[in-house]
Amino acid sequence: MTYPDNILYQVTKPARYTGGEWNSIVKDWDKTDIKIALSYPDLYEIGMSNMALPILYELLNSQSDVLAERVFAPWVDMETILRTRGVPLASLESKHPLKDFDVIGFSLGYELTYTNVLNMLDLAQIPVLAAERDDSHPIVIAGGTCALNPEPMADFIDFFVIGDGEEVLPELLACLRDWKGKAASKKQLLRQVATISGIYVPSLYQVEYQADGLFKSITPTVPQCKSSIKRRIVPQLPPPVTSPVVPYIEVVHDRGAIEIQRGCSCGCRFCQAGIIYRPVRERPQEEILQAVGEIITNCGYNEVSLVSLCTNDYPGIDKLVVNLSHRYQDHNLTLSLPSLRTDSSSVRLVDSLPSHRKIGLTFAPEAGSQRLRRTINKYVPEDEILQTATAAFAKGWNTLKLYFMLGLPTETIDDVQEIVQLVDKIGSLGKAKGKRPRVRVSVSTFVPKPHTPFQWVAQASQPELDAKHELLKLGLRRTGSRLSWPDPKVSLLEAVLSRGDRRLGKVIYRAWQLGSTFDAWDEHFNYENWLRAFDETGLEPGFYAQRERPLDEPLPWAHIDVGVTTAFLKQEYQRAQDGRETPDCRNKACNACGLERWQPECQQKKKLSQQATLPSKENLGTLTIQSPFN
Ligand code: SF4
Ligand code: SF4
């Protein structure tokens, strides 16, 4: 089945729904046993820029008995037509309705896409609540960063994959083959997958709350389930995807992408990615060099992004850039390096890129004062920030974009004023170089995230944020810089959903019933809907977002073991209060974050650290640490 032309003629960007792109894979539907719809709960342009989707698409389609097809959230114009005509949501490849697939797998990377998950299921004419789906319906699964607190979405998802999907896939596919082969029930499948490490089946766990409304516990109801779900970690990055689907319309990241490393060891205390993607796994240089060539050949791209959480930290990044420039000099190759550290080596690095345009440089100091940068463990001395700006202006950049966060733990008005002062100093440096510098300041609201050292802290209240925002606005106006600040109500909702429990399912469901979808889109975000949904379900947003949680309060995501222990997070929380830094464990000693329990490299590193801190009597002071990462 395909969407009739008279539907496609009436919507913006019909190519969002037509499929048929270069490198897309269409398998024989009737001859393939297991059918999986890879679903992204946002627009095509956003989903096609996601890094995980092509990996799963390629891995699944490499199995002869599996087909994987894509589906994205239809924009409102398409939704209206589908609903009016009763046409079910279908996949891009074979155009089969989603309800004909065995499995629908959602990628959950942002809490504000949750209502889109419900909407996509409903548009597919599949019951939204897991409890209302029976053996005739597809199994609905989810993975991605949000799965690390799965509870708010537990009512809608049959099971969650926790951690690297590549690692779980072989065992999961074996279960699915068995299930299909025996025509077993959904109930049997769920009990079977619950035995796989890294899979969480929420319906097989019971949640209890205390009399005062606080969360109490989550316990398995069947012997197959473990009380703690371990995050799966792929020890070595699988080969990069070098034949990804090439969109026919412009998408957010319109270029090739090679993941050069996974994980980050910097240890910024607000950053969830820095915890949940540990340990760092690097891709060998030669593999990257070859992959870039293949992506040029297979996709026709002449721009490739070297993707990493912190690109500077990739060992030998300068050499890699030089080697890529030499090897592909005939291809007019443009390289892009996202996520650069605020230091002058980043400026040198970007300046050394082939065919770079000096449009703008982006850095994220996150906080205006040195004190606060130390508290969040993203310490960069002010001198270094100013040297970075000086180097950028000297190399010919006119525009600098700086990212900060408002409402960080322990932040005072003085810290906010220091943002203004820092921006002012940077602007003056540009003028001293005879330029008319443009300094753009982007400020987001701090959202405390699960599995981070700040998972217990309260998000700042609206009046507090408003006062700080006003101060920034006035101060930055004097410096002539431009300020952008997204709606803090969006961040409030993000904070609620990030650290929520299973009761929030009712709020999400009600907000969706009231018409909320595309909550991450300004023009669609409807705060009134959410307030009404909270009110009708008897829950309070402030209870989840703006309440400081005692360190011994049971947390709704504590049954998800990401590898980093609560003891380490508490220690980091305390160090933040004391204004103490924790060094990056990549080139310094192991901080014993908990991963050393699982990871052989970390075990080795911890052993070396202990030897270094506990020198033998005969050999006092002469021990040196050999990092296994070097
Ligand atoms: S450098 Fe800090 S903010 Fe960036 S990914 Fe690493 S831990 Fe997160
Ligand atoms: S166990 Fe040690 S080396 Fe491994 S990620 Fe944690 S702190 Fe770093």
Side-chain angles (χ1 to χ4, degrees), residues 17-193:
Y17 314 103
T18 51
E21 309 98 312
W22 191 255
N23 291 334
S24 58
I25 300 168
V26 187
K27 287 191 166 182
D28 189 330
W29 180 269
D30 296 323
K31 291 192 180 137
T32 314
D33 279 346
I34 299 173
K35 298 163 179 91
I36 301 178
L38 293 174
S39 311
Y40 196 86
D42 211 324
L43 270 190
Y44 176 91
E45 292 93 313
I46 316 274
M48 284 300 289
S49 303
N50 176 270
M51 281 299 289
L53 200 65
I55 298 175
L56 295 172
Y57 187 75
E58 186 174 277
L59 270 175
L60 289 166
N61 279 317
S62 69
Q63 308 287 311
S64 58
D65 59 343
V66 179
L67 66 76
E69 304 191 353
R70 295 158 301 144
V71 62
F72 302 90
W75 190 239
V76 283
D77 53 358
M78 183 64 161
E79 174 182 346
T80 307
I81 296 175
L82 293 180
R83 287 197 188 281
T84 316
R85 301 195 184 185
V87 177
L89 184 64
S91 67
L92 264 63
E93 277 77 3
S94 70
K95 318 290 189 292
H96 272 86
L98 255 55
K99 58 186 172 184
D100 291 352
F101 284 77
D102 300 305
V103 175
I104 302 178
F106 281 98
S107 172
L108 298 181
Y110 186 30
E111 292 80 2
L112 270 76
T113 62
Y114 285 173
T115 52
N116 281 6
V117 172
L118 277 60
N119 208 39
M120 287 174 77
L121 288 173
D122 190 56
L123 283 169
Q125 301 172 0
I126 295 169
V128 161
L129 291 165
E132 290 179 3
R133 295 192 293 265
D134 58 27
D135 292 345
S136 69
H137 298 114
I139 301 291
V140 178
I141 72 177
T145 52
C146 296
L148 296 167
N149 177 16
E151 291 311 302
M153 287 297 280
D155 289 348
F156 316 105
I157 304 294
D158 293 314
F159 65 85
F160 292 88
V161 176
I162 311 293
D164 293 327
E166 307 99 314
E167 189 66 4
V168 184
L169 222 47
E171 290 149 78
L172 178 56
L173 285 178
C175 258
L176 293 175
R177 286 183 183 113
D178 199 39
W179 165 64
K180 288 270 309 196
K182 292 180 180 155
S185 66
K186 171 180 169 180
K187 194 171 162 193
Q188 286 167 311
L189 174 73
L190 292 185
R191 285 180 182 223
Q192 191 57 39
V193 294

Side-chain angles (χ1 to χ4, degrees), residues 263-275 277-278 308-311 313 339-341 364 366 376-378 405 584:
C264 175
S265 52
C266 294
C268 306
R269 293 181 177 126
F270 58 85
C271 177
Q272 193 188 44
I275 298 283
Y277 288 115
R278 287 182 182 208
S308 162
L309 284 170
C310 185
T311 313
D313 286 351
S339 317
L340 289 169
R341 254 203 326 260
E366 312 290 5
I376 62 174
N377 209 40
K378 194 170 185 181
M405 265 190 266
D584 183 334

Side-chain angles (χ1 to χ4, degrees), residues 264-265 274 278-280 563-564 568 583-586 588-597 599 601-603 605-606 609 628-629:
C264 175
S265 52
R278 287 182 182 208
V280 177
V564 175
F568 176 78
D584 183 334
C585 63
R586 187 173 194 147
K588 300 216 171 78
C590 166
N591 299 315
C593 73
L595 262 192
E596 70 282 4
R597 297 170 298 154
Q599 292 293 308
E601 303 89 346
C602 291
Q603 282 162 8
K605 201 151 189 248
K606 188 174 173 209
S609 311
F629 294 102

Side-chain angles (χ1 to χ4, degrees), residues 15 50 55 86 89 130 142 222 224 233 237 277 348 362 371 392 417 460 479 525 537 550 554 565 567:
N50 176 270
I55 298 175
L89 184 64
V222 295
Q224 288 92 333
I233 301 172
L237 293 184
Y277 288 115
R348 267 200 323 275
T362 303
R371 182 202 72 78
Q417 253 151 1
T479 68
F525 180 63
T537 49
T565 55

Side-chain angles (χ1 to χ4, degrees), residues 41-43 73 75-76 110-119 153 486-494 497 507-531 533-534:
D42 211 324
L43 270 190
W75 190 239
V76 283
Y110 186 30
E111 292 80 2
L112 270 76
T113 62
Y114 285 173
T115 52
N116 281 6
V117 172
L118 277 60
N119 208 39
M153 287 297 280
D487 186 349
K489 293 192 189 77
V490 174
S491 309
L492 170 72
L493 184 59
E494 187 185 340
L497 298 175
V507 180
I508 298 168
Y509 188 71
R510 186 66 191 129
W512 166 71
Q513 280 184 324
L514 291 169
S516 281
T517 56
F518 287 105
D519 294 294
W521 294 69
D522 285 351
E523 65 269 43
H524 279 276
F525 180 63
N526 186 330
Y527 191 53
E528 298 310 312
N529 272 353
W530 283 95
L531 286 183
F534 275 105

